[in-house]
Amino acid sequence: MTPKYVIGGNWKLQILRVEEAVSIATAIAEALEKLDLGTTEVFIAPSYTALYAVAQAIKGTKLKLAGQNMYFRDKGAFTGEISPDSLKDVGCEYVLLGHSERRRIFGETNAQINQKVKKALEKNLKPVLCIGETAQERKDGQMEAVNRQQLAESLADVEPEQLSNIIIAYEPVWAINNPFLNPNVEIKTATPEQASDAHNFIRAWLVSTFGETAGSQIPIQYGGSMKAGNCVDLLALPEINGGLIGGASLSSETFMPIIEAALGQMKK
Ligand code: PEP
């Protein structure tokens, strides 16, 4: 069975007002209603403060909701953190974990991400586990080693039968449109060849670690400056099962063409 497609919009710290978040989410949800998504899933990850209002606005539509991060404990004296139970309470189905901005700007480790992955699974939230190498690591020939380590340590103690609830997002750091992550690097989308190599490597690791049945069904998204102009070639690759999109997910006009491209590829 081929993995389903999953398209996610990561709004980061870009849409600051609840009213604006609701308006964009509503436009995306309305556009989605006109499409036959089949098994494809689409989610957005607004700021925490907008989650509840967005959840109300998109209730009953095809658009799903994700948290951008969470803590690995349920509750307690942990100032500034967000509980998986709170994400569930406002209607999140997914949670982004280990995004490179969390890893590189906020110092999150694979061990912490592993605790979060296990907690999300326990709480019935689908973790979107983000992995990816920096430009320097790729230049040093470490692409496979870095991604292998992030996968192995972030998925430690996860059982094969839990895998159907996990999504992997391969996001090479050098392709993410973020100058803080890439101070001296020309930011550009991975070529289909580069993405294909990495996705095949990740798939092979998943299959060899978790077995053919579990390992071959996890969606592997590509993320990094994906937009209307470059998504068709990437999404045409059978090894790319969707996308995690930052900048281009911030409006219905820029996000919908990517979703439509994914659906077009699925029909081929
Ligand atoms: C991301 O940060 O997940 C991402 C893919 O961002 P962008 O599309 O803006 O490069």
Side-chain angles (χ1 to χ4, degrees):
M1 211 172 79
T2 47
K4 65 183 170 208
Y5 271 45
V6 183
I7 307 282
N10 175 10
W11 288 5
K12 311 189 182 190
L13 194 59
Q14 305 286 20
I15 307 293
L16 307 185
R17 290 171 43 250
V18 172
E19 200 183 328
E20 193 186 355
V22 167
S23 152
I24 301 168
T26 305
I28 295 170
E30 283 174 2
L32 285 181
E33 290 312 295
K34 299 181 192 126
L35 301 176
D36 176 6
L37 294 189
T39 57
T40 298
E41 295 180 12
V42 181
F43 68 76
I44 49 169
S47 304
Y48 299 127
T49 50
L51 282 174
Y52 180 73
V54 169
Q56 298 308 303
I58 65 173
K59 211 179 217 157
T61 72
K62 297 170 186 166
L63 184 58
K64 297 167 188 286
L65 205 56
Q68 293 184 14
N69 183 28
M70 58 165 235
Y71 195 43
F72 54 79
R73 292 186 198 279
D74 300 352
K75 72 181 286 189
F78 304 110
T79 303
E81 291 295 330
I82 179 118
S83 163
D85 289 325
S86 300
L87 293 182
K88 289 285 289 184
D89 183 49
V90 293
C92 288
E93 205 171 302
Y94 303 84
V95 59
L96 306 184
L97 294 176
H99 190 278
S100 57
E101 287 153 11
R102 301 295 322 165
R103 292 173 185 271
R104 315 268 168 186
I105 301 175
F106 300 100
E108 274 189 26
T109 64
N110 286 325
Q112 289 167 331
I113 295 160
N114 177 241
Q115 285 179 289
K116 294 181 182 197
V117 167
K118 288 188 286 187
K119 178 55 81 174
L121 289 168
E122 177 197 316
K123 296 289 179 175
N124 236 355
L125 277 164
K126 294 179 190 162
V128 179
L129 171 64
C130 304
I131 59 169
E133 79 288 353
T134 61
Q136 190 60 47
E137 288 163 346
R138 176 168 276 261
K139 207 165 149 202
D140 294 343
Q142 295 299 304
M143 184 277 277
E144 293 191 356
V146 169
N147 284 290
R148 185 189 299 114
Q149 187 173 7
Q150 290 182 359
L151 283 166
E153 294 181 7
S154 307
L155 293 176
D157 307 320
V158 170
E159 301 299 329
E161 53 274 16
Q162 295 178 292
L163 235 54
S164 59
N165 286 321
I166 294 182
I167 292 150
I168 306 290
Y170 170 63
E171 300 205 295
V173 178
W174 45 272
I176 294 184
N177 190 14
N178 183 335
F180 290 103
L181 288 181
N182 293 299
N184 302 311
V185 172
E186 187 202 346
I187 300 167
K188 47 180 192 275
T189 319
T191 63
E193 293 71 29
Q194 288 170 322
S196 176
D197 274 1
H199 279 241
N200 283 332
F201 169 76
I202 294 164
R203 178 68 66 203
W205 185 88
L206 290 169
V207 167
S208 80
T209 306
F210 293 101
E212 178 68 33
T213 313
S216 60
Q217 284 175 25
I218 312 178
I220 307 177
Q221 300 176 308
Y222 167 80
S225 299
M226 194 188 257
K227 40 185 163 302
N230 60 30
C231 67
V232 174
D233 289 348
L234 289 162
L235 292 167
L237 297 169
E239 49 274 30
I240 296 188
N241 318 119
L244 185 56
I245 294 110
S249 71
L250 299 175
S251 78
S252 167
E253 290 74 22
T254 52
F255 195 35
M256 290 311 297
I258 302 175
I259 296 164
E260 283 160 15
L263 294 174
Q265 297 308 334
M266 296 226 53
K267 284 186 193 123
K268 276 195 176 161

